[in-house]
Amino acid sequence: MLTEKQAADAPAPRAAGVPLDPASLVCLFEGHYVPLAAANVNIMTHAFMYGTAVFEGIRAYWNEEQQQLFALKVPEHMTRIRNSCKVMLMTDVPSVDQLTNEAIEVLQRNRFREDAYVRPSFYKSSRAIGVKLHGLEHRLLHPRGPVRRLRGHDRRRQGRHGLLGAARATRRSRRGQDRRLVREPGISKTEANLNGFDEALVLSDDGHVSEGSAENIFVVRDGVLHTPTVADDILEGITRAGIMEIAADLGYAVVERTIDRSELYIADEAFFTGTGAQISPIVEVDRRPLGTGVVGPITARIKDRYFDIVRGRVPEFGHWVTPVYPR
Ligand SMILES: Cc1ncc(COP(=O)(O)O)c(C=O)c1O
């Protein structure tokens, strides 16, 4: 909740269509609410030198009818970032409740009346040489901004290979790396894009389907949804869990199992899921049309339900969203 003073300090709401000045966005930086332009770190900062930071991406969806902004699954993201902090030997991390409240407060302070994206990050803030992870301080950063339809829903981009999500399997494997410790941000995506595809399909060490570059994958065969198991080197996506909940609610069976790459060639439908991708139908794989080559009916049904839920229109799924503004 904003105090009177905070409300007075917050940027004035922008009229529709007025471009945002990113430097004026309010973020929480090392315990203070400051404009993004003032949230800077020194080049000797450990996180800058060695990449020792963890982050989450959280979406918030504007609902025009309700004049409300709904932040999606914030406690789930804060639980995961705390787990990431454990891996990085960052202790004394604020509680899930506190982090959630802070995220909501920064959204409030920015007075967003549009879809927005929150990017909390804990980073090793000590100015120190040496790759060790222990004995270093860390700080929290909560920058955020509006999103201009990153990808997925509503974006009917007729790309070179049809609708968004046309994917090509890369031969990239994880080489036994623990997904929680080592990410390959952008590498597989870049390879796919440079080869003329919208997205990469990343395989596990043993050649099975794992996930996209920053998405989990679902494959539909004979009316049943299939998705790789946690042992198939996936990141356990928050959206993935949500889709399993929606599928069950709509009466579709979901099977977590190892999936062969060739199964994608004969699947009826497939789609990626993720905070960024939301629900992105896959309509082509390895230059073969997937299913009928257009968005399938089960994918479309799940996608429609998902976007109703995230915009706060489905009371039974009210536990997914946190209203940002007081009613
Ligand atoms: C490798 C990878 N897989 C899957 C996902 C999807 O996770 P979520 O649904 O929690 O955003 C992400 C998100 O960034 C990711 O980086």
Side-chain angles (χ1 to χ4, degrees):
M1 188 71 73
L2 289 185
T3 64
E4 223 170 284
K5 160 110 181 49
Q6 288 164 345
D9 290 345
R14 271 168 300 122
V18 174
L20 175 93
D21 170 14
S24 70
L25 283 171
V26 177
C27 65
L28 176 60
F29 178 59
E30 304 193 346
H32 303 282
Y33 292 96
V34 297
L36 200 53
N40 302 311
V41 296
N42 186 278
I43 58 164
M44 289 302 291
T45 305
H46 199 272
F48 179 77
M49 301 287 262
Y50 302 110
T52 47
V54 298
F55 69 90
E56 280 292 323
I58 305 173
R59 277 185 184 260
Y61 291 87
W62 176 247
N63 181 316
E64 185 65 26
E65 307 94 73
Q66 296 183 33
Q67 295 289 298
Q68 181 60 277
L69 185 64
F70 289 100
L72 182 62
K73 291 189 172 257
V74 187
E76 286 85 345
H77 284 282
M78 295 313 184
T79 301
R80 191 165 66 184
I81 203 169
R82 292 180 89 253
N83 288 340
S84 301
C85 286
K86 278 186 199 161
V87 174
M88 295 296 281
L89 288 174
M90 297 174 180
T91 51
D92 300 326
V93 175
S95 67
V96 169
D97 279 353
Q98 185 179 332
L99 293 172
T100 300
N101 291 339
E102 287 172 354
I104 299 300
E105 180 162 350
V106 183
L107 284 168
Q108 287 176 344
R109 283 175 179 260
N110 282 286
R111 298 189 185 180
F112 290 127
R113 295 171 58 81
E114 60 205 311
D115 292 356
Y117 183 71
V118 181
R119 171 51 66 82
S121 170
F122 282 93
Y123 64 96
K124 297 276 185 189
S125 57
S126 297
R127 295 179 189 177
I129 299 282
V131 293
K132 73 181 173 72
L133 296 178
H134 58 285
L136 300 172
E137 292 181 348
H138 54 271
R139 294 272 192 276
L140 170 65
L141 175 65
H142 266 298
R144 60 213 62 229
V147 269
R148 307 245 179 272
R149 301 215 188 289
L150 289 180
R151 4 182 338 192
H153 188 61
D154 299 339
R155 195 179 98 163
R156 294 282 191 271
R157 180 162 77 80
Q158 285 292 332
R160 189 158 157 200
H161 299 284
L163 289 169
L164 174 75
R168 167 179 184 262
T170 71
R171 291 188 187 280
R172 172 168 300 284
S173 85
R174 298 295 192 198
R175 297 195 190 86
Q177 293 167 338
D178 186 326
R179 299 285 298 114
R180 285 187 189 76
L181 284 175
V182 184
R183 297 200 63 217
E184 297 177 302
I187 295 177
S188 44
K189 172 88 173 177
T190 303
E191 276 182 15
N193 287 171
L194 291 178
N195 283 303
F197 298 92
D198 290 333
E199 186 49 82
L201 187 67
V202 180
L203 306 178
S204 61
D205 271 350
D206 56 6
H208 292 110
V209 173
S210 178
E211 57 186 355
S213 63
E215 306 88 14
N216 295 112
I217 189 167
F218 285 82
V219 176
V220 182
R221 294 189 65 187
D222 296 326
V224 175
L225 275 73
H226 304 263
T227 191
T229 72
V230 292
D232 290 316
D233 218 2
I234 64 166
L235 185 138
E236 292 174 57
I238 290 168
T239 320
R240 173 182 180 270
I243 294 308
M244 290 163 86
E245 199 182 333
I246 292 179
D249 186 57
L250 293 177
Y252 298 115
V254 183
V255 182
E256 291 180 81
R257 67 169 178 85
T258 298
I259 295 175
D260 284 332
R261 172 179 175 161
S262 58
E263 281 189 72
L264 281 171
Y265 300 163
I266 56 170
D268 301 322
E269 303 177 31
F271 56 91
F272 285 125
T273 66
T275 301
Q278 305 175 99
I279 316 290
S280 291
I282 305 172
V283 294
E284 184 189 293
V285 172
D286 288 348
R287 304 195 188 279
R288 296 159 175 85
L290 197 151
T292 55
V294 296
V295 180
I298 294 179
T299 305
R301 197 168 166 220
I302 289 176
K303 192 155 87 87
D304 288 348
R305 184 74 167 162
Y306 180 81
F307 283 104
D308 278 344
I309 291 170
V310 298
R311 288 200 196 277
R313 296 186 189 124
V314 185
E316 311 91 270
F317 283 80
H319 56 285
W320 281 34
V321 290
T322 310
V324 168
Y325 300 118
R327 301 263 182 195

